[in-house]
Amino acid sequence: MSRRRAPRRISLSQRRDAPAGGEWRQRTEEQWRGKAQVREVEEEERQEHHGKESVPRGTCQTMCPTRELQDRQLQNCLHRFELLAGTERDRRPRGDPLRAVKEYSRPAAGKDSTNSSDLRPAAVLLKTVCYLIDKVAASPHLRPWTEVYNFVFDRLRGVKQDMIIQRTSGLNCVAILERTVRFLIYVSYRLCGEPLRLYDPRINDTHLQENLSWLLDCYATGTEPHPNQEEFQALGLLYNLGSARAAQHIMELPERLRCSPAVTLALSINRAFHERNPVRVLRLARRLNFIQSCALHRHLVSCRRDLMLIYSHGFSSRNCRFPLDRLAQLLCLDASLTTRLCQAHGVEVNRDNQLIFSKAAFTEPEQEQLHCKLYHNIVAEKQRDLSVGDIIHGCT
């Protein structure tokens, strides 16, 4: 007698509204690097296979190697954030050795990217990252911030490239990756809704996932104590909300981490998200700090859409009226934005600020109508007096 095949179960991470960027990457050596990183080190690995056994060690003690600074100065390829004060209007502006930072360059055939004098050791790389945060990203004078982001993003890629070539590990590696992950999470919130020519969320997500996976691998394989591990385990789950692999990773952690306050809260939010309980997700989200809210924020649109859909069915009655201010409280929005969101989903708002839900009238608005940036209240109110430097350095 043949056995009936059990119906195929659909992973909760494959929900129709689960974010496309939330898939968890397996942390094998090649996968945590990601395809882009594999290309970056392809040339170096080829050289090793041909007999170069020792891993190169950097000797450059400045943020930008002298040779690169001279070459880019001759080619007039310095960024305006790197120019020596007073030479900006010169025909060939000069670079400031204290402001110039090594830029990311794609590996090219015949190009030796393992030259020790062009590589920065781990301590210098950490110093470079701190400069990028404190003097560039957190500067109140550098504008526009989309240009600040693109400059810092490129230079952080250069830092990562040096780390990969030298097989950097240890506490400095962790400190660099933690700041990089915080920066990219913050960016995903701050630049949400910017034109694609200025900010591409998919590219930012790709690099965030790669750096996060590398960081979690460092936690798993390192022997040193990592006081920020609880924070980043929670951030990883909040950012990848709805991913079965992300949840499985958390469940495999030691009990002391799994039961820590930040991870416990992230697990509760993830469970509510799985259960399609947007009211509980939004209620628990109020307990998150600012950077945690930044990690969660990309899931808020789908949560609010789920809430509108559930209420459109649950309160669908000709004589039923629902208070606008009550819904605004549940959505963590003010009344005007709640009204706008209701109208986008086909929910009628009468003159008495009461909502008339109807499952027949519910509509799926175009993504352009939602303008996620308009509905950032639940995140924005948590920033208060935190500076960009405080956020990225973890001083919250």
Side-chain angles (χ1 to χ4, degrees):
M1 184 175 180
S2 61
R3 296 176 62 184
R4 293 181 60 187
R5 178 177 296 179
R8 179 176 178 269
R9 297 183 63 188
I10 298 175
S11 168
L12 290 170
S13 65
Q14 295 174 324
R15 285 175 31 146
R16 170 178 50 78
D17 58 349
E23 294 187 5
W24 201 259
R25 290 164 172 79
Q26 296 286 352
R27 294 195 311 277
T28 62
E29 183 177 359
E30 181 171 310
Q31 286 171 317
W32 66 249
R33 284 178 182 166
K35 292 181 180 179
Q37 289 174 292
V38 170
R39 287 195 296 269
E40 290 175 13
V41 298
E42 190 178 47
E43 183 67 22
E44 289 74 21
E45 290 178 341
R46 187 182 299 114
Q47 289 175 354
E48 287 185 346
H49 287 309
H50 282 81
K52 188 171 182 177
E53 298 179 357
S54 60
V55 176
R57 296 298 176 198
T59 59
C60 177
Q61 296 300 311
T62 56
M63 296 189 296
C64 183
T66 303
R67 183 174 63 177
E68 179 186 318
L69 179 59
Q70 293 173 345
D71 289 346
R72 287 205 282 135
Q73 187 170 284
L74 288 171
Q75 297 164 9
N76 205 16
C77 292
L78 291 167
H79 193 280
R80 68 184 183 93
F81 296 163
E82 301 174 307
L83 299 181
L84 187 66
T87 69
E88 296 89 348
R89 296 182 180 275
D90 293 355
R91 185 176 64 85
R92 184 168 291 165
R94 285 186 290 156
D96 187 340
L98 299 179
R99 299 177 69 200
V101 183
K102 181 180 180 180
E103 64 179 359
Y104 169 75
S105 60
R106 295 185 179 277
K111 178 182 176 182
D112 182 13
S113 55
T114 64
N115 191 325
S116 296
S117 62
D118 293 333
L119 295 173
R120 298 159 292 180
V124 178
L125 291 173
L126 179 57
K127 175 185 173 183
T128 301
V129 170
C130 291
Y131 167 82
L132 291 170
I133 295 169
D134 298 329
K135 302 300 183 182
V136 183
S139 171
H141 308 296
L142 300 180
R143 293 286 186 275
W145 211 79
T146 48
E147 184 180 1
V148 170
Y149 160 72
N150 282 296
F151 176 79
V152 174
F153 179 80
D154 177 86
R155 297 325 191 248
L156 287 177
R157 288 190 73 186
V159 168
K160 182 173 68 174
Q161 190 175 46
D162 278 14
M163 291 168 66
I164 293 171
I165 293 172
Q166 299 176 89
R167 307 295 188 265
T168 304
S169 60
L171 293 178
N172 282 335
C173 177
V174 168
I176 290 169
L177 291 172
E178 287 178 345
R179 286 162 174 79
T180 301
V181 169
R182 287 197 198 100
F183 171 74
L184 296 175
I185 288 177
Y186 172 67
V187 165
S188 71
Y189 157 74
R190 177 163 179 170
L191 296 185
C192 175
E194 291 290 336
L196 280 177
R197 61 186 173 81
L198 300 176
Y199 166 69
D200 190 328
R202 289 186 178 273
I203 293 177
N204 192 78
D205 170 69
T206 297
H207 287 272
L208 198 165
Q209 297 281 14
E210 290 173 357
N211 282 281
L212 177 62
S213 293
W214 189 357
L215 175 60
L216 297 184
D217 188 74
C218 289
Y219 289 152
T221 59
T223 57
E224 307 91 344
H226 300 294
N228 298 324
Q229 184 174 178
E230 173 190 336
E231 172 193 354
F232 286 92
Q233 298 289 359
L235 286 175
L237 183 57
L238 291 170
Y239 187 80
N240 291 285
L241 208 64
S243 165
R245 288 181 179 176
Q248 181 181 358
H249 167 78
I250 294 295
M251 299 313 295
E252 292 172 352
L253 291 174
E255 185 177 0
R256 64 176 181 81
L257 282 172
R258 196 172 62 249
C259 297
S260 61
V263 175
T264 299
L265 178 57
L267 280 170
S268 297
I269 293 173
N270 188 64
R271 186 180 305 113
F273 187 79
H274 273 307
E275 294 170 352
R276 301 293 289 271
N277 188 344
V279 173
R280 180 166 171 77
V281 171
L282 292 169
R283 184 183 299 124
L284 291 172
R286 297 192 183 115
R287 293 163 53 187
L288 298 173
N289 64 28
F290 177 68
I291 194 66
Q292 290 171 334
S293 298
C294 289
L296 179 71
H297 112 274
R298 68 184 188 140
H299 305 283
L300 294 177
V301 168
S302 64
C303 284
R304 286 169 174 146
R305 177 260 175 203
D306 281 355
L307 191 150
M308 300 296 292
L309 177 62
I310 292 169
Y311 277 38
S312 291
H313 283 71
F315 296 98
S316 181
S317 172
R318 191 175 298 176
N319 299 319
C320 182
R321 301 291 183 269
F322 194 93
L324 175 65
D325 58 350
R326 174 57 180 156
L327 184 66
Q329 183 182 12
L330 292 172
L331 292 170
C332 303
L333 297 172
D334 59 36
S336 62
L337 286 176
T338 302
T339 300
R340 185 169 180 172
L341 190 65
C342 287
Q343 293 170 343
H345 285 91
V347 179
E348 181 183 345
V349 183
N350 66 18
R351 294 181 180 179
D352 298 323
N353 283 332
Q354 295 175 325
L355 306 176
I356 305 173
F357 288 105
S358 169
K359 61 183 178 182
F362 181 84
T363 58
E364 296 282 3
E366 296 292 332
Q367 192 170 4
E368 293 75 18
Q369 287 183 274
L370 291 177
H371 297 295
C372 175
K373 195 169 186 177
L374 291 174
Y375 304 98
H376 282 179
N377 302 41
I378 194 173
V379 183
E381 65 186 13
K382 295 174 187 267
Q383 184 169 357
R384 297 189 181 92
D385 298 327
L386 290 173
S387 68
V388 176
D390 291 338
I391 294 164
I392 301 174
H393 284 302
C395 305
T396 56

